[in-house]
Amino acid sequence: MDRRQLLNAMVSRGTDAAAHNQSLPIAGGLNPYKGPWNYTTAAHLLRRAMFGPTHEQIKQAVTEGLGATMVRLLTKTADPGPPLNYTSTPADPYCNPGETWVGKRFTPSIQGLSQVRENSLNAWFMQNIFNEGVSLTEKMMLFWHNHFVVSDIFLANISYDYLTTIRKNVLGDFKQLTKDITIDGAMLIYLNGNTNNLRAPNENYARELMELFTLGKGPLAGPGDYTTYTEQDILAIAKVLTGWTTPQNRQQSDGSVLPSVSFVTQFHDTSTKQLSNRFNNAVIKNNGADEYKDLINIIFLKREAATFICRKLYRYFVYYKVDQSIENEIIDGLADTLIANNFNISTVLNQLLSSEHFFSDAAYGALIRPPYDWFFNTVKAMKMKIPSDYTLTYPLFLSIYRSVLNQNQAIFALPSVAGWPAYYQEPAYHEIWINSVTYPLRYTLGISVVNKRFGFRLNGQNNLIYGVEVTDYAAGFDNPGNAAKLIDDITAHLLPKPIEQAQKDYLKSKLLGTFTEAQWTAMWNAYIADPSNTQTKTAVENRLRPMLIALNSMPEYHLS
Amino acid sequence: MKRRSFLKTGALATAPLLINGIPVNAIARNSFLDFVSPDNDKILVLIQLTGGNDGLNCVLPLDQYSNLDKARNKILIKESLGLKLSDKTALHPSMGGMKSLFDDGALSLVHSVGYPNQNRSHFRSTDIWTSGSAADQMITTGWLGRYYQGNHPTFPAGYPNTDYPDPLAITVGGNVSETCQGPIVNFSLAINDPTALTTIPQPIYSTSIPTTNYGNELKYIMTTLQQYTSYSDIIKNANTAAGGSIAPTGNALLDRLNIVSQLIKGGLKTKVYVVSIGTFDTHSNQCDPDDHELGTHAGLLQQLSDAMKGFQDSLKKNNLDKRVIGMTFSEFGRRIKANDSTGTDHGTAAPLFVFGSCIKGGMIGNNPTISDNVQNDEGVAMQIDFRSVYASILIDWFQVEPSIVKQILFADFQKLPLIEGCTTTAVEDDSKRDFLLQLTTSPNPADQYTIIGFDTRDEYVRISLYDAIGSEIKTVFSGKTGEGHHEIRMDTSDLNSGNYVIRIASQNSQNVKILSIRNH
């Protein structure tokens, strides 16, 4: 008896129980979407594929059409320049402020230096999201980080290399990415591959490679047999992966390090490894530093290597609930595509994100925005102004990183190797993002950004404050002087579904305050006539802000 | 003396309990009605040790020390430094706080708690512990969620109300607890800092929410906001009434428990609080390689021990200690053998602690047995099923009828003598628990066969064979026995050489023995 039946038998459920936890209707399944293409459909696609698309980006997608927009989304963006050292406190002997620390030796004995490099990396990650353009690149960077989890590495150089490893195949070859990640320094450190050697095999990575990175754990079929793999396989695979280490290349004079990855032949178990019948009793012979490739090739012969990742992509981009019909009609088809295209991930992204199913009515607004999605939907879609001086850019993006931290989403600080629970924890899944702690945090953070009170201190100076340029944001719409039209346009931009007239009227009342619609028109026209006049600008800002704060406090704002 | 049937049926008959104006008995005939005795004011605090606690570093079986030394000399603490609970058992030297609770009779150490067919995945095993289900059962509700579901089938609609003015359960930290997950909603409210609860103006809500996926998620978020708004003043007021915030102590777990004690002191009727501490996933650098009494795990144990003691002291000071018990849990223990990274990998069973003034202090079960040839993947054999602990708490602390506990936990479990005194109702006669099931196996190591000997009363017993990682290989015997000594010949010729565990369990007792099989 499955869980549903069981509970139905045991407890009487509320009226909304039946609808709760249902998967999306299949609609047209994976058939290519041929329906209308307009602002609503384009916004849905860009919201899911990016972090907070701007009004202009959506309009461009409408003009260009679905096909051309998919081409844009599936084009990897140019690699961002490496992260920079943004401060002279403390001084970094191998890297001046304004230079990158990537590839430079690191001196652990200098108090606070490790933190500066990590801060720089975290800020840089946020900056890349902010500058993403119309591409799936950054959304997939975060996807892979949540898939091939590493956490608490505390060695920024190694963490940067890991992001480079991912970026190489961020929209590319999943099989190659799995190979590269298997011998990536951060992963070797995080899952103890670097201490996995001939004399004392450490099976930590071997286990997660099967359970979380490639095949998934099937039902228990017998002692130590998880259907997709067995405990015997874990022991054998641990042996295959012996010999990889992360030497620190310590310099004796100043104790500085430059960690790297190397294969030490004498640590490698050269015996022949026997896999179980779950792998058709495959045998892996000694192949030294290339043996891990043989292993990944064997793993990727199994269909689960495709179905498992497709299920995860579906949960990330479409909806969390995968029942048997989604499994049959969507996941299976995606897996076929992935296998037929040698695990090129962009082929399934293309198929999924331009399918009838993706554009079916029920798919709109059904996902709860994760913290990064939610936050960038505010600062990016509403055009926060970013200072160009790196000594300010980095602290600003660092404070963005920190401000989202307590909403339980933080890069390089994931709660476990399984990633963020919102992507796997039944039955709540993405509802985990929102609770009585995080909702008020979102509310207050939203206010600070809209009110331009989002700030940080730098070297004892006064609080530097930033936020969204609400006037620039409003000016992007067709007729901002028309209060009702502006509310229509803004809600169409920032909310996934139309809201009720009473809700729009409420937002309009926040915009108008004690003024009339005609007075708002006059205020707006006065501002446009002379945008440099701070008095008229402030008058308009003081009306836009309460409206945007009210929008931000609406439950609808947290859906995508 | 037999368990007295509780007054709750009578109490309900005279003063019908209403939920949203509907008498409860009209709502759900088929539900777990009347889980809670109306006058039961008992509180349970769960402390989750995330990551898998190394039980053998936490509780040292002194009588196994030489074999332990063979298996884990790179991390083993010095025998002489353990804080002795008895001649045979000692706590880690950093656990002075819990040692003093033990000496006061306020701590129960339950040995080798786990479940058959141990799953060594953090996630699956955590699900098993939080859902209170068997390893092969996929249950997504929490064991406490099911406990709440019966009395509160319509929650959160209409809550808070006059009968239930306070949150039903509270998680201190940024997340709700899976233990309180119901079929539709989670029954726990997450709070972080009761002194810093923002007031959010109520937006205009959508009035006709569609029954679509969008509609359901929208409703979830609306409910969260409404619940937050309704409960935040209640929490704020309770905290203020108890004297406001307590200054940070430097011990994050104690800080969270201090919030719990403030809210209890402030009069909240909340029955369950959940806090967590981690990560205990000590694959590497579990201890200082030069000084095994120090390091990551020692720090965590100290934090746990100090927090438990501090919490109990503050309850006592406020005269609330007779209303509160606490329980630790972790998804699994760790391997007996240390790995090459001064750490330990995922294992099987581990000790669990229950504390409070109403606890029958002492130890339940025996020290684990460590053989002289521990296998690489060998974990500590399970003696006591974790659902026995849950069942005992539900029955003896929350006074839930055993038949309903059986529904919540999907089966009957042996009840443990955890609770003593404090309850208004009499507890079950404990005398039959004193009987310890004797278990022998010979020859051991076995070659081709072994004879299992056991002494029982007139009762149902089950004897199972487990492999070293905790998978149940076979049921050797299951059925009713007469009183006296029994012997069963078990053929081992079809089994691979290695270490196995024989476990015998009855309704009231259990025992385990390690069996080595060396077939020639």
Side-chain angles (χ1 to χ4, degrees):
Chain A
M1 190 191 268
D2 75 8
R3 169 189 158 264
R4 270 194 98 68
Q5 291 170 314
L6 188 74
L7 287 162
N8 276 326
M10 290 193 317
V11 296
S12 107
R13 297 157 62 102
T15 48
D16 57 350
H20 190 270
N21 219 2
Q22 294 279 306
S23 63
L24 294 178
I26 298 299
L30 288 176
N31 292 328
Y33 176 69
K34 299 278 190 238
W37 182 249
N38 51 36
Y39 192 90
T40 309
T41 47
H44 172 59
L45 174 61
L46 295 197
R47 273 187 209 116
R48 295 291 178 91
M50 299 164 52
F51 297 88
T54 63
H55 175 59
E56 289 75 10
Q57 287 169 328
I58 296 168
K59 282 202 302 187
Q60 184 194 19
V62 175
T63 310
E64 294 184 348
L66 172 58
T69 304
M70 283 310 302
V71 171
R72 267 187 200 280
L73 287 173
L74 291 165
T75 305
K76 194 177 134 187
T77 47
D79 290 351
L84 307 179
N85 178 12
Y86 61 91
T87 179
S88 53
T89 44
D92 189 333
Y94 290 95
C95 167
N96 295 318
E99 297 171 2
T100 184
W101 44 264
V102 170
K104 313 271 175 67
R105 303 189 69 81
F106 164 65
T107 321
S109 59
I110 297 176
Q111 198 71 31
L113 191 57
S114 164
Q115 195 60 55
V116 167
R117 288 194 179 188
E118 281 172 50
N119 287 348
S120 165
L121 186 71
N122 290 333
W124 179 79
F125 198 114
M126 297 295 107
Q127 185 178 29
N128 293 339
I129 291 178
F130 194 86
N131 296 333
E132 66 179 342
V134 180
S135 172
L136 276 152
T137 308
E138 298 305 322
K139 203 85 186 240
M140 284 301 290
M141 284 299 296
L142 196 65
F143 173 85
W144 291 123
H145 183 35
N146 182 60
H147 181 72
F148 290 118
V149 170
V150 303
S151 194
D152 301 323
I153 298 298
F154 306 129
L155 278 168
N157 297 61
I158 284 279
S159 299
Y160 175 81
D161 292 346
Y162 156 86
L163 293 179
T164 309
T165 299
I166 291 180
R167 195 171 285 275
K168 219 187 301 171
N169 275 296
V170 63
L171 298 175
D173 184 343
F174 170 44
K175 188 165 150 186
Q176 186 59 44
L177 177 54
T178 307
K179 288 178 185 173
D180 295 347
I181 260 323
T182 298
I183 56 158
D184 177 81
M187 188 58 85
L188 288 171
I189 291 171
Y190 181 54
L191 292 181
N192 310 114
N194 61 345
T195 59
N196 177 25
N197 65 46
L198 170 65
R199 280 187 305 281
N202 186 312
E203 65 191 46
N204 204 5
Y205 181 77
R207 183 178 298 278
E208 308 307 5
L209 174 66
M210 302 289 114
E211 179 179 343
L212 297 171
F213 299 161
T214 56
L215 302 176
K217 196 172 194 168
L220 195 70
D225 180 354
Y226 309 116
T227 313
T228 43
Y229 61 94
T230 69
E231 286 286 335
Q232 175 200 332
D233 295 319
I234 290 169
L235 294 172
I237 289 169
K239 290 180 185 170
V240 170
L241 299 173
T242 47
W244 292 94
T245 59
T246 49
Q248 300 276 304
N249 300 319
R250 194 173 292 277
Q251 201 165 80
Q252 290 308 327
S253 55
D254 63 355
S256 67
V257 297
L258 190 59
S260 61
V261 172
S262 80
F263 180 77
V264 182
T265 310
Q266 57 270 37
F267 288 170
H268 181 66
D269 185 329
T270 56
S271 66
T272 298
K273 293 88 183 176
Q274 172 72 57
L275 298 184
S276 74
N277 62 343
R278 296 300 184 184
F279 293 90
N280 296 321
N281 302 307
V283 164
I284 299 176
K285 293 216 171 76
N286 180 36
N287 193 10
D290 285 328
E291 197 171 319
Y292 75 97
K293 297 177 192 165
D294 302 338
L295 166 70
I296 304 294
N297 289 339
I298 289 172
I299 293 172
F300 274 71
L301 291 174
K302 288 178 76 80
R303 186 173 171 81
E304 287 89 348
T307 48
F308 184 71
I309 198 74
C310 290
R311 214 173 287 128
K312 224 163 165 179
L313 285 167
Y314 182 85
R315 291 209 164 103
Y316 190 73
F317 284 106
V318 187
Y319 195 57
Y320 64 91
K321 177 74 179 170
V322 176
D323 69 358
Q324 199 54 50
S325 73
I326 297 290
E327 193 70 42
N328 297 342
E329 303 296 326
I330 308 289
I331 307 301
D332 234 31
L334 293 174
D336 288 341
T337 303
L338 193 58
I339 292 165
N341 289 283
N342 299 317
F343 290 91
N344 180 342
I345 213 79
S346 66
T347 58
V348 288
L349 289 173
N350 188 34
Q351 187 178 24
L352 181 62
L353 298 181
S354 57
S355 67
E356 292 268 4
H357 182 70
F358 180 77
F359 286 105
S360 65
D361 192 49
Y364 285 72
L367 268 192
I368 291 178
R369 291 188 204 275
Y372 286 139
D373 262 57
W374 165 82
F375 187 71
F376 285 104
N377 191 47
T378 305
V379 296
K380 201 160 152 292
M382 292 193 209
K383 301 180 184 170
M384 185 166 180
K385 274 227 171 64
I386 305 296
S388 55
D389 179 350
Y390 72 89
T391 61
L392 297 175
T393 323
Y394 276 81
L396 176 58
F397 279 112
L398 179 61
S399 92
I400 286 178
Y401 166 80
R402 286 179 177 158
S403 68
V404 183
L405 199 77
N406 54 10
Q407 292 182 33
N408 305 325
Q409 191 174 34
I411 52 165
F412 293 109
L414 290 86
S416 79
V417 62
W420 289 299
Y423 294 110
Y424 68 82
Q425 186 65 59
E426 287 188 87
Y429 285 98
H430 60 171
E431 290 176 357
I432 290 170
W433 292 128
I434 302 264
N435 61 43
S436 50
V437 169
T438 57
Y439 201 104
L441 289 171
R442 287 187 177 199
Y443 174 71
T444 47
L445 181 55
I447 290 181
S448 82
V449 171
V450 171
N451 279 344
K452 264 190 147 172
R453 287 284 177 275
F454 183 80
F456 55 90
R457 279 176 190 283
L458 197 64
N459 302 332
Q461 293 175 29
N462 284 338
N463 225 4
L464 294 163
I465 50 172
Y466 292 89
V468 297
E469 297 298 334
V470 291
T471 45
D472 287 1
Y473 175 57
F477 294 100
D478 285 347
N479 186 3
N482 180 328
K485 176 83 165 64
L486 182 63
I487 300 296
D488 282 348
D489 287 349
I490 285 179
T491 52
H493 176 213
L494 296 176
L495 303 181
K497 296 276 253 187
I499 52 173
E500 293 171 8
Q501 191 55 47
Q503 294 178 295
K504 285 187 179 177
D505 291 345
Y506 162 74
L507 291 173
K508 196 169 77 183
S509 75
K510 292 286 177 185
L511 176 71
L512 297 176
T514 56
F515 297 102
T516 64
E517 291 195 39
Q519 284 171 318
W520 163 254
T521 309
M523 280 164 78
W524 180 261
N525 289 342
Y527 160 67
I528 286 298
D530 180 11
S532 62
N533 181 329
T534 48
Q535 211 171 344
T536 47
K537 185 179 180 184
T538 306
V540 170
E541 284 176 343
N542 285 345
R543 292 323 324 147
L544 286 168
R545 285 182 177 143
M547 183 268 290
L548 290 169
I549 286 168
L551 181 68
N552 182 51
S553 74
M554 288 173 68
E556 286 84 351
Y557 193 74
H558 302 276
L559 291 169
S560 168
Chain B
M1 190 180 10
K2 276 202 69 170
R3 164 170 284 277
R4 179 144 55 93
S5 66
F6 299 113
L7 292 171
K8 51 183 176 275
T9 334
L12 274 174
T14 52
L17 179 60
L18 300 182
I19 294 176
N20 302 327
I22 306 165
V24 267
N25 58 0
I27 292 175
R29 292 198 68 77
N30 204 15
S31 72
F32 309 129
L33 212 50
D34 342 330
F35 275 9
V36 192
S37 169
D39 9 278
N40 180 304
D41 62 351
K42 304 305 186 198
I43 292 167
L44 171 67
V45 179
L46 294 180
I47 303 176
Q48 183 172 2
L49 316 177
T50 61
N53 180 29
D54 183 11
L56 291 170
N57 198 48
C58 179
V59 177
L60 196 62
L62 299 171
D63 56 348
Q64 310 290 317
Y65 196 86
S66 59
N67 285 345
L68 263 185
D69 194 44
K70 279 185 201 160
R72 48 161 62 199
N73 72 330
K74 283 184 206 154
I75 58 167
L76 189 62
I77 47 180
K78 286 188 207 76
E79 195 175 3
S80 59
L81 294 178
L83 307 176
K84 277 192 170 185
L85 304 181
S86 72
D87 290 348
K88 288 197 250 171
T89 308
L91 291 176
H92 187 281
S94 68
M95 298 170 72
M98 285 168 68
K99 162 83 163 88
S100 82
L101 290 178
F102 187 89
D103 293 343
D104 292 347
L107 182 75
S108 173
L109 160 60
V110 190
H111 279 290
S112 304
V113 184
Y115 53 85
N117 298 317
Q118 176 70 45
N119 194 305
R120 287 181 171 177
S121 152
H122 287 292
F123 322 103
R124 181 66 193 125
S125 196
T126 303
D127 284 349
I128 289 164
W129 273 86
T130 56
S131 64
S133 55
D136 58 355
Q137 245 177 328
M138 296 300 284
I139 302 290
T140 56
T141 51
W143 68 284
L144 291 166
R146 294 192 298 279
Y147 156 76
Y148 281 117
Q149 183 67 18
N151 261 0
H152 309 283
T154 63
F155 183 87
Y159 285 76
N161 55 43
T162 41
D163 289 320
Y164 296 94
D166 301 326
L168 299 174
I170 287 178
T171 310
V172 183
N175 280 309
V176 294
S177 171
E178 297 304 321
T179 58
C180 298
Q181 180 67 46
I184 301 162
V185 294
N186 195 295
F187 288 93
S188 68
L189 185 83
I191 64 164
N192 228 346
D193 178 357
T195 61
L197 296 166
T198 318
T199 304
I200 304 178
Q202 293 295 293
I204 301 283
Y205 292 116
S206 171
T207 51
S208 58
I209 295 172
T211 53
T212 58
N213 305 81
Y214 169 76
N216 281 309
E217 304 311 336
L218 182 57
K219 197 165 176 191
Y220 169 75
I221 300 172
M222 279 173 56
T223 306
T224 304
L225 176 54
Q226 286 163 340
Q227 293 286 299
Y228 169 76
T229 305
S230 353
Y231 284 123
S232 57
D233 281 346
I234 293 166
I235 291 168
K236 235 184 281 186
N237 294 342
N239 192 62
T240 309
S245 60
I246 297 177
T249 59
N251 177 335
L253 182 65
L254 181 56
D255 289 346
R256 289 178 171 187
L257 288 171
N258 278 340
I259 291 173
V260 174
S261 62
Q262 283 296 73
L263 296 179
I264 295 172
K265 189 179 161 196
L268 285 196
K269 295 191 175 71
T270 303
K271 297 196 71 63
V272 173
Y273 293 85
V274 189
V275 295
S276 66
I277 164 180
T279 170
F280 283 81
D281 195 18
T282 47
H283 285 284
S284 61
N285 302 319
Q286 171 168 320
C287 64
D288 185 328
D290 303 320
D291 192 347
H292 296 177
E293 288 73 34
L294 301 177
T296 311
H297 195 236
L300 287 163
L301 293 175
Q302 167 129 32
Q303 202 186 342
L304 171 68
S305 169
D306 290 354
M308 199 184 280
K309 176 75 165 80
F311 180 60
Q312 175 69 9
D313 287 350
S314 109
L315 292 173
K316 269 181 119 158
K317 198 176 86 190
N318 294 301
N319 221 359
L320 295 164
D321 56 309
K322 296 223 155 62
R323 285 181 53 209
V324 183
I325 62 167
M327 180 195 111
T328 65
F329 74 102
S330 191
E331 62 262 40
F332 38 63
R334 307 192 75 82
R335 300 287 167 83
I336 298 171
K337 270 200 173 174
N339 64 24
D340 210 29
S341 325
T342 330
T344 47
D345 297 327
H346 303 179
T348 313
L352 175 154
F353 299 97
V354 187
F355 68 95
S357 296
C358 302
I359 290 303
K360 184 177 163 70
M363 287 185 255
I364 297 177
N366 307 312
N367 275 352
T369 311
I370 311 296
S371 70
D372 60 0
N373 62 334
V374 173
Q375 292 169 213
N376 274 340
D377 58 356
E378 191 169 336
V380 171
M382 184 260 292
Q383 286 176 53
I384 292 171
D385 195 297
F386 73 112
R387 290 160 293 181
S388 282
V389 181
Y390 292 0
S392 311
I393 288 172
L394 288 170
I395 294 171
D396 286 340
W397 188 240
F398 284 151
Q399 305 174 334
V400 182
E401 283 291 352
S403 63
I404 292 169
V405 172
K406 185 179 176 181
Q407 279 182 277
I408 295 176
L409 298 175
F410 311 111
D412 272 324
F413 290 94
Q414 165 198 347
K415 198 150 73 67
L416 309 171
L418 279 173
I419 312 288
E420 186 177 64
C422 297
T423 45
T424 49
T425 47
V427 289
E428 201 170 351
D429 177 6
D430 281 344
S431 64
K432 63 181 177 184
R433 291 186 182 125
D434 299 340
F435 185 83
L436 179 69
L437 286 166
Q438 299 300 320
L439 180 66
T440 58
T441 176
S442 170
N444 185 4
D447 181 0
Q448 310 306 321
Y449 78 97
T450 189
I451 306 282
I452 299 169
F454 55 103
D455 292 69
T456 67
R457 291 185 302 205
D458 185 9
E459 60 189 338
Y460 280 97
V461 298
R462 179 185 167 98
I463 301 174
S464 307
L465 181 72
Y466 294 86
D467 68 12
I469 64 170
S471 298
E472 190 166 4
I473 304 292
K474 63 176 164 189
T475 303
V476 181
F477 176 82
S478 177
K480 200 157 190 285
T481 61
E483 183 163 350
H485 182 75
H486 313 277
E487 289 187 351
I488 290 178
R489 184 181 196 278
M490 180 174 73
D491 182 22
T492 62
S493 59
D494 57 339
L495 296 166
N496 294 329
S497 294
N499 287 352
Y500 293 79
V501 175
I502 300 170
R503 179 175 189 263
I504 183 170
S506 71
Q507 185 64 30
N508 299 299
S509 187
Q510 77 294 316
N511 207 340
V512 292
K513 277 279 173 295
I514 291 183
L515 170 67
S516 260
I517 296 180
R518 298 197 190 137
N519 289 332
H520 291 103

